[in-house]
Amino acid sequence: MDLVHTIDDLRAALAGRGRPSFVPTMGNLHDGHLALVRQAKPLGDVLVASIFVNRLQFLPTEDFDSYPRTLQADCSRLEAEGCDVVFAPSEHDLYPEPQRFTIAPDPRLADLLEGHFRPGFFTGVCTVVMKLFWAVFGGAPGTAVFGRKDYQQQMVIRQMVRQFALPVDIVGADISRAPDGLALSSRNAYLSPEERAEAVQLSRALQALAQAALRPDADLPALEAAAAQALRARGWQPDYLTVRQCSDLQPPQGKPRQGTLVALGAARLGTTRLIDNLEF
Ligand code: PAF
């Protein structure tokens, strides 16, 4: 497995090796990332993973500085999964000058939910993903795999790829969960043992919300408020628990129809912000 840090070295490592499949990450890899890597492996001739903690997608109050950097352990795990090339640029390698030119996603999609609570997040994500796509694919066709835990992120990236006609197939990977149902996330490592035991309540709240939303007399705003209040009573600070249309993340029009909806949630437990979602 090659470990490269600059775009030039990445291009040299990929030259003549065919169509890449690509898994972008911020490192501190867990089993969920490795599932993405396993899914990506047969989708190209050469498998690339990137590891880059992207300052542009963090608010000044968020955990950019403390985000765990575990390059050696990450590389060992990637090598064991058959990854061919790891691209781990420094900030200077990827942003040699202040990044003044950014990708502004469609506010109708990107200013909702995560974008509302993390202003600028999707501009930071789109800008780095565009840059990573150019570094890895150089405008040639390929495939990139993203986890569905970041549901809105995947939708924003699909729209970016479509609107810029990038020749990249975006593949969504199912959420990997711990045996108790907690969605795997690098940020789970921040949880104390007590918080870790409690953390599964976010996915349980989404399950209950989804079930209740399908009842004929469902009052969605009331159900969402009750779901948030139930988590608050357990010591969480919810940002949102909501039922949206899968197609555009807008509130459902008319009577909610099974198979077209997604329950999404984001809530803080102690200092750790967790997100999860459930299509139904
Ligand atoms: O989902 C992530 O880990 C990040 O948002 C990504 C796509 C690697 C961009 O920094």
Side-chain angles (χ1 to χ4, degrees):
M1 187 180 79
D2 297 322
L3 170 61
V4 295
H5 300 287
T6 66
I7 295 178
D8 286 346
D9 287 348
L10 175 64
R11 293 207 168 128
L14 292 179
R17 293 177 78 173
R19 184 184 156 115
S21 56
F22 176 43
V23 180
T25 82
M26 297 207 299
N28 191 28
L29 302 184
H30 50 69
D31 290 347
H33 292 112
L34 301 182
L36 304 186
V37 169
R38 282 195 288 278
Q39 191 162 340
K41 181 75 181 163
L43 301 179
D45 304 309
V46 55
L47 174 59
V48 186
S50 65
I51 297 178
F52 181 67
V53 186
N54 175 37
R55 186 188 290 274
L56 293 192
Q57 68 189 73
F58 287 78
L59 287 171
T61 51
E62 292 182 332
D63 53 344
F64 174 78
D65 289 328
S66 58
Y67 202 89
R69 272 88 167 162
T70 53
L71 183 61
Q72 244 183 354
D74 291 346
C75 285
S76 309
R77 302 196 77 184
L78 288 169
E79 189 158 28
E81 295 297 339
C83 182
D84 299 303
V85 180
V86 175
F87 177 45
S90 67
E91 274 201 282
H92 185 262
D93 290 321
L94 211 57
Y95 299 128
E97 56 189 51
Q99 186 73 24
R100 305 276 180 231
F101 205 108
T102 56
I103 304 284
D106 177 359
R108 284 172 307 178
L109 180 60
D111 287 1
L112 312 170
L113 305 174
E114 285 303 284
H116 176 76
F117 287 96
R118 305 180 71 189
F121 172 69
F122 288 117
T123 295
V125 168
C126 287
T127 302
V128 79
V129 169
M130 179 66 101
K131 213 155 177 169
L132 291 169
F133 278 2
W134 273 99
V136 171
F137 301 112
T143 301
V145 179
F146 289 85
R148 288 207 189 90
K149 184 169 76 67
D150 297 292
Y151 196 91
Q152 190 179 7
Q153 168 174 283
Q154 199 184 118
M155 289 181 73
V156 170
I157 288 169
R158 281 184 193 278
Q159 193 183 27
M160 176 179 85
V161 163
R162 205 171 56 242
Q163 296 218 332
F164 285 107
L166 305 180
V168 181
D169 287 335
I170 303 297
V171 171
D174 287 344
I175 301 177
S176 295
R177 295 186 180 276
D180 68 348
L182 174 66
L184 298 188
S185 161
S186 299
R187 291 191 168 100
N188 292 351
Y190 299 154
L191 299 168
S192 69
E194 295 73 27
E195 288 168 342
R196 171 61 192 84
E198 171 65 20
V200 68
Q201 296 302 332
L202 177 59
S203 74
R204 297 213 177 130
L206 292 175
Q207 280 168 19
L209 179 59
Q211 252 176 17
L214 290 174
R215 288 196 203 116
D217 57 344
D219 171 353
L220 278 186
L223 290 172
E224 293 171 353
Q229 184 48 38
L231 276 190
R232 223 170 269 121
R234 302 183 68 97
W236 294 69
Q237 298 154 271
D239 281 346
Y240 58 85
L241 278 95
T242 186
V243 171
R244 297 296 169 106
Q245 302 178 155
C246 297
S247 54
D248 56 6
L249 296 187
Q250 291 296 322
Q253 304 298 314
K255 193 173 134 31
R257 269 190 307 118
Q258 191 160 14
T260 63
L261 301 172
V262 55
L264 304 115
R268 212 171 290 278
L269 187 54
T271 55
T272 307
R273 187 173 184 276
L274 300 176
I275 64 172
D276 201 349
N277 66 79
L278 175 71
E279 279 182 341
F280 64 101

